């Protein structure tokens, strides 16, 4: 590390280590050589995954928000995982075509956010008597539907509560591509009746959805880079969030993925919190395709929230 910034990342190092191990394995194939076991990165028997941490928050260090001495740190940590080839594990996969849409959510990020959303829904269900009541989940800026379809994928495999999943986007092309993706997923899904998907065209400043009707919102709004300008995001974010607050049920949750943390924390949330429309519950910083300043915000509409005019 130089000035608190790594010059390499794990995805770049792993192939180098693999090549080195494979080279040793190749040598061991020579007759009479005992340099080591044969290493096959594809046809392995056991894969060992090791995560090491010195207790320093790497995202804060990479952002250089404070000197390393100010970052403190927790105990050093090592996590060890084993994967056996006989278990036939394979990466989770979404059938989501991105088309020519500029703004494209990453499938892996969508899976992680959906798992987090499912955790929150399960905890919330434990406090309700009607735990099996059908939910309404929406992405108000769905694009090609990556987050919506990831959410359904997770609910199907975790046997989650039945839910109607709704995707809304202002762009006609995005809505069309989302619906095509939903139909393609339906062809391989055995649970269309339990987790139906719907697509609507509409603006996040005037959603075609009733007030107090949505249990969960998952949204990755524009960052002001590939899709819309930073000025547009800065001006629109407060209006979008107010509309999300309107459609959420009292006690409903919204998970917001954005790199515009100053806009969200300083301009969007304070007015909504003062009016009792939304409450910030959690903020987690993570690496989103190289954007180490990205954050996942969890906000909730208070049970006694005031009515939001449309």
């Amino acid at each position: 590390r130089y000035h608190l910034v790594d010059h390499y990342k794990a995805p770049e190092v792993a192939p180098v280590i693999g090549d080195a191990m494979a080279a040793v394995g190749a040598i061991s194939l020579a007759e009479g050589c005992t340099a080591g076991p044969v290493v096959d990165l594809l046809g392995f028997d056991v894969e060992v995954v090791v995560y090491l941490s010195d207790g320093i928050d790497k995202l804060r260090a990479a952002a250089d928000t404070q000197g390393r001495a100010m970052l403190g740190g927790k105990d050093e940590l090592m996590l060890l995982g084993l994967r056996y080839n006989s278990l036939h594990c394979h990466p989770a996969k979404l059938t989501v075509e991105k088309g020519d849409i500029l703004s494209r959510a990453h499938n892996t990020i969508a899976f992680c956010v959906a798992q987090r959303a499912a955790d929150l829904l399960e905890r919330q269900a434990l406090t309700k008597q009607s735990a099996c009541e059908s939910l309404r989940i929406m992405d108000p800026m769905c694009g090609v539907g990556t987050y919506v379809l990831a959410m359904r994928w997770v609910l199907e495999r975790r046997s989650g509560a039945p839910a109607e999943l709704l995707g809304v986007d202002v762009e006609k092309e995005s809505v069309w591509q989302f619906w095509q993706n939903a139909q393609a997923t339906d062809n391989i899904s055995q649970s269309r009746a339990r987790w139906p998907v719907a697509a609507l065209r509409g603006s996040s400043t005037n959603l075609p959805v009733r007030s107090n009707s949505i249990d969960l919102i998952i949204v990755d709004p524009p960052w002001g880079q590939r899709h819309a300008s930073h000025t547009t995001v800065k001006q629109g974010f407060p209006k979008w969030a107010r509309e999300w607050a309107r459609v959420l049920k009292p006690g409903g949750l919204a998970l917001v993925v954005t790199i515009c943390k100053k806009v969200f924390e300083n301009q969007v949330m304070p007015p909504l919190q003062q009016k009792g429309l939304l409450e910030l519950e959690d903020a987690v910083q993570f690496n989103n395709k190289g954007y180490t300043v990205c954050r996942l915000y969890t906000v909730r509409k208070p049970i006694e929230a005031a009515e939001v005019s449309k």
Side-chain angles (χ1 to χ4, degrees):
R1 176 181 292 145
Y2 173 73
H3 194 54
L4 308 184
V5 178
D6 290 337
H7 285 272
Y8 56 85
K9 296 181 180 179
E12 300 168 348
V13 175
V16 178
I17 296 175
D19 289 342
M21 294 175 66
V24 173
I27 294 173
S28 69
L29 293 177
E31 186 175 350
C33 180
T34 58
V38 176
V39 176
D40 187 338
L41 298 181
L42 295 178
F44 58 86
D45 294 318
V46 179
E47 181 181 34
V48 181
V49 183
V50 181
Y51 172 79
L52 296 173
S53 173
D54 58 5
I56 299 296
D57 188 330
K58 300 301 188 300
L59 294 177
R60 291 177 63 190
D64 199 16
T65 54
Q66 300 183 50
R68 184 182 178 88
M70 299 293 292
L71 291 175
K74 301 179 181 179
D75 295 338
E76 294 183 359
L77 173 69
M78 182 180 76
L79 299 178
L80 184 66
L82 297 177
R83 183 161 74 99
Y84 295 88
N85 196 35
S86 58
L87 295 179
H88 303 294
C89 296
H90 57 83
K93 189 174 183 180
L94 280 178
T95 308
V96 178
E97 295 295 332
K98 307 297 184 179
D100 296 325
I101 310 302
L102 288 177
S103 183
R104 303 171 180 175
H106 195 276
N107 290 356
T108 301
I109 302 301
F111 273 131
C112 293
V113 174
Q115 293 285 5
R116 173 59 175 161
D119 288 341
L120 294 171
L121 289 176
E122 288 176 2
R123 294 177 191 174
Q124 189 162 285
L126 293 175
T127 65
K128 292 184 177 182
Q129 294 181 349
S130 55
C132 296
E133 181 182 349
S134 182
L135 302 171
R136 297 194 74 200
I137 300 172
M138 179 179 70
D139 182 346
M141 307 177 95
C142 68
V144 298
T146 307
Y147 282 94
V148 175
L149 298 178
M151 191 71 227
R152 180 167 70 169
W153 190 97
V154 169
L155 290 175
E156 287 177 341
R157 285 153 182 80
R158 292 177 60 159
S159 300
E164 175 188 353
L165 296 111
L166 176 63
V168 182
D169 201 274
V170 71
E171 298 290 343
K172 182 179 180 180
E173 183 183 359
S174 296
V175 175
W176 181 86
Q177 187 65 66
F178 166 44
W179 183 243
Q180 294 298 311
N181 287 329
Q183 293 298 301
T185 306
D186 277 344
N187 291 335
I188 60 175
S189 171
Q190 304 299 317
S191 308
R192 280 180 284 178
R194 189 171 174 83
W195 295 285
V197 173
L200 291 176
R201 187 181 180 189
S203 169
S204 211
T205 59
N206 188 21
L207 291 167
V209 179
R210 297 193 313 273
S211 300
N212 306 316
S213 63
I214 301 296
D215 295 278
L216 172 70
I217 286 176
I218 299 179
V219 61
D220 186 347
W223 297 353
Q225 296 185 336
R226 290 190 301 178
H227 195 76
S229 66
H230 182 69
T231 300
T232 300
V233 173
K234 189 174 181 180
Q235 294 174 349
F237 218 142
K239 300 175 184 178
W240 304 335
R242 182 178 175 85
E243 185 69 351
W244 304 337
R246 178 184 70 80
V247 301
L248 274 176
K249 291 180 180 179
L253 290 166
L255 272 64
V256 184
V257 178
T258 183
I259 64 171
C260 305
K261 55 186 183 181
K262 289 185 178 179
V263 174
F264 189 79
E265 294 177 6
N266 299 336
Q267 295 179 228
V268 175
M269 285 305 300
L272 296 174
Q273 288 176 309
Q274 292 172 6
K275 295 177 182 178
L277 301 179
L278 289 177
E279 296 175 345
L280 179 61
E281 288 197 345
D282 192 24
V284 178
Q285 191 160 317
F286 67 101
N287 189 332
N288 189 343
K289 300 176 293 184
Y291 292 92
T292 58
V293 297
C294 191
R295 289 187 181 178
L296 172 63
Y297 294 96
T298 303
V299 299
R300 185 184 298 274
K301 184 174 181 177
I303 297 294
E304 303 297 330
E307 289 292 328
V308 183
S309 58
K310 187 170 181 179

